[in-house]
Amino acid sequence: QVQLQESGPGLVKPSQTLSLTCTVSGGSISSGGYYWSWIRQHPGKGLEWIGYIYYSGSTYYNPSLKSRVTISVDTSKNQFSLKLSSVTAADTAVYYCARDRIDEGYFDYWGQGTLVTVSS
Amino acid sequence: SSELTQDPAVSVALGQTVRITCQGDSLRSYYASWYQQKPGQAPVLVIYGKNNRPSGIPDRFSGSSSGNTASLTITGAQAEDEADYYCNSRDSSGNLVVFGGGTKLTVL
């Protein structure tokens, strides 16, 4: 059973960089066939895809966030990470990591989510 | 803004059938996937591909697609089906991911 777990600070100051890590267990990031995604949900709102990474390091980002987002992968630790720079209160959200099946484009496993609040 | 459009809210009487729809140009090329999200929980995949259910999802959930519209049907809705439902697919380029705005399902 694949499991994903987000970790990182729950509070980030405005203008700083939000950093989160997703640790994958029960399966290898390097096995291929999947993208590894970050998705967020503003309080009381819908889901917003941030971007994904393949184990080789190839990335795609949401155009609306592309200038501030970096997603990286560490296959030796079976982890992938999100960095979102120059955050504002509008970046306050629950952040999820999820596994995306490449051939059919669905998210079959999700982390529990972590709330990140941007506030001074 | 989302490139997939969902009705914000739908209601259904207990035991009746309800259809939740998702519209978008990308659905002419890609299947929609559907997720159920209950308050305080992560989304759960309920339908993917042409009409596939992950293990553990009741068979009252089904999916279909026609043209630019995908549908999630719950046949014999139960109280525990009350939740937010989201669709997603690849975008028209095939490289990015798009979500619908979500539909809040109320079971009366």
Side-chain angles (χ1 to χ4, degrees):
Chain A
Q1 178 81 346
V2 174
Q3 293 184 315
L4 294 87
Q5 177 69 57
E6 305 89 353
S7 60
L11 180 64
V12 181
K13 289 181 167 42
S15 80
Q16 294 191 341
T17 296
L18 177 160
S19 296
L20 295 173
T21 295
C22 182
T23 301
V24 180
S25 58
S28 173
I29 280 183
S30 303
S31 61
Y34 302 99
Y35 292 132
W36 302 90
S37 272
W38 287 99
I39 296 157
R40 71 179 183 179
Q41 187 170 35
H42 294 103
K45 302 297 184 182
L47 300 169
E48 179 182 29
W49 176 72
I50 298 171
Y52 60 58
I53 191 164
Y54 191 55
Y55 77 92
S56 63
S58 299
T59 55
Y60 280 98
Y61 300 134
N62 186 326
S64 69
L65 297 168
K66 187 175 182 178
S67 63
R68 298 194 292 131
V69 172
T70 302
I71 298 176
S72 58
V73 65
D74 186 336
T75 54
S76 67
K77 295 182 179 179
N78 223 31
Q79 295 176 333
F80 62 106
S81 298
L82 168 70
K83 290 188 184 300
L84 181 65
S85 65
S86 305
V87 297
T88 69
D91 295 307
T92 293
V94 174
Y95 287 76
Y96 295 100
C97 56
R99 189 177 83 167
D100 175 354
R101 177 76 179 254
I102 292 176
D103 57 352
E104 294 197 69
Y106 60 82
F107 297 98
D108 55 356
Y109 290 99
W110 296 66
Q112 66 185 27
T114 186
L115 174 63
V116 179
T117 301
V118 179
S119 175
S120 55
Chain B
S1 62
S2 171
E3 296 180 26
L4 296 178
T5 302
Q6 297 182 241
D7 291 329
V10 171
S11 62
V12 61
L14 184 68
Q16 296 303 300
T17 296
V18 63
R19 177 177 292 180
I20 298 170
T21 61
C22 174
Q23 289 187 302
D25 286 342
S26 62
L27 300 180
R28 297 184 185 279
S29 304
Y30 300 98
Y31 287 120
S33 305
W34 291 92
Y35 306 85
Q36 177 192 71
Q37 187 180 35
K38 296 182 178 179
Q41 298 182 18
V44 173
L45 178 69
V46 294
I47 291 289
Y48 66 94
K50 189 173 184 180
N51 180 20
N52 300 299
R53 284 175 290 105
S55 175
I57 301 301
D59 61 5
R60 63 179 179 271
F61 289 88
S62 63
S64 62
S65 184
S66 179
N68 73 335
T69 301
S71 300
L72 171 70
T73 300
I74 307 174
T75 303
Q78 303 299 303
E80 61 263 32
D81 300 334
E82 186 163 288
D84 294 326
Y85 290 85
Y86 294 91
C87 61
N88 97 283
S89 78
R90 295 278 186 247
D91 78 334
S92 298
S93 75
N95 293 322
L96 307 181
V97 173
V98 288
F99 280 99
T103 297
K104 182 176 183 60
L105 176 66
T106 300
V107 179
L108 304 172

